Amino acid sequence: EFSEISLKDIDRLASSSFPLCMRHLFDKLRENHHLKHGGRMQLGLFLKAVGLKLEDALAFWKSEFSQKVGAERFDKEYSYSIRHNYGKEGKRTDYTPYACHKIISSTPSVGDHHGCPYRHFSEENLRAALGKMGVGGRSLDDILDKVRSRHYQVACTLTFEAVHAASCDSGINHPNQYFEASQKILQ
Ligand code: SF4
């Protein structure tokens, strides 16, 4: 269990321990200072479960969105849904982060960055994304084989194993499980 992470560690953790789906959302948020609803939900609930506290989550999203829409509009239009994800608004439900099967079966449209890259990226984009994670050669070929046979979570598990040079016998079935298994190895 990782009860808390600090905002100052978030970029380091994203590149060392986020699965590709979350790394992609994180990179796009940093690049565009914006994410559409599906991406905000997928990444936001993941970050909550990783241990980002509400105040840090608000600071994190605001630091990006205010560059695009301004701080005032962020406070008006976006902060509510972040507090909502943390159970602080509306029905006060404590929302749980999405598991792989839910992310894989989502249907991102043009301009959306949520979803599972193994399922939703073109082969060319997936190759490039895996290359950025340092995955190449035989590992890359094995991963792309699994993607072609639609074993997306197996492809993600193979990526985990290539990146960490360690086995993941349980297989990946949840982005937060990927994160926790990674931290266990790296810490
Ligand atoms: Fe994310 Fe799961 Fe896809 Fe891996 S298999 S990229 S953890 S949705």
Side-chain angles (χ1 to χ4, degrees):
E1 274 297 306
F2 299 91
S3 52
E4 221 170 87
I5 65 161
S6 162
L7 202 48
K8 67 172 170 38
D9 295 327
I10 200 166
D11 288 275
R12 179 180 57 78
L13 290 170
S15 65
S16 70
S17 294
F18 283 16
L20 185 52
C21 54
M22 300 303 173
R23 191 181 295 230
H24 178 62
L25 283 168
F26 188 85
D27 289 348
K28 285 295 166 187
L29 175 62
R30 286 285 197 226
E31 183 185 322
N32 300 332
H33 316 301
H34 191 271
L35 282 178
K36 291 191 178 187
H37 178 75
R40 295 200 301 276
M41 291 296 289
Q42 184 176 310
L43 180 61
L45 291 172
F46 168 80
L47 291 174
K48 181 178 90 162
V50 151
L52 192 65
K53 287 182 302 173
L54 175 59
E55 307 83 81
D56 285 344
L58 285 167
F60 169 69
W61 290 98
K62 188 170 184 169
S63 72
E64 291 301 334
F65 269 64
S66 60
Q67 295 178 57
K68 182 88 172 186
V69 302
E72 199 177 319
R73 228 184 111 194
F74 173 85
D75 290 337
K76 253 197 215 140
E77 291 176 30
Y78 297 97
S79 67
Y80 178 91
S81 72
I82 294 162
R83 290 198 304 275
H84 194 263
N85 280 350
Y86 279 73
K88 302 295 183 206
E89 298 283 0
K91 282 186 287 181
R92 297 184 179 266
T93 312
D94 205 1
Y95 293 95
T96 50
Y98 299 166
C100 293
H101 67 82
K102 182 176 170 111
I103 295 172
I104 289 169
S105 60
S106 68
T107 50
S109 308
V110 177
D112 280 330
H113 296 294
H114 66 274
C116 172
Y118 301 97
R119 167 75 179 83
H120 297 113
F121 276 18
S122 66
E123 182 170 320
E124 191 189 347
N125 287 348
L126 184 58
R127 271 178 189 279
L130 290 168
K132 265 172 65 183
M133 291 173 85
V135 179
R138 176 74 197 277
S139 301
L140 180 60
D141 292 340
D142 289 348
I143 292 163
L144 294 174
D145 274 349
K146 293 300 176 195
V147 168
R148 284 182 207 110
S149 52
R150 301 189 193 176
H151 293 122
Y152 308 116
Q153 290 173 225
V154 180
C156 189
T157 306
L158 292 179
T159 304
F160 180 100
E161 293 183 333
V163 166
H164 296 85
S167 65
C168 177
D169 297 334
S170 59
I172 297 299
N173 55 56
H174 198 294
N176 289 95
Q177 174 221 352
Y178 184 111
F179 177 82
E180 286 169 23
S182 170
Q183 284 292 289
K184 211 170 269 176
I185 291 168
L186 298 176
Q187 275 180 347

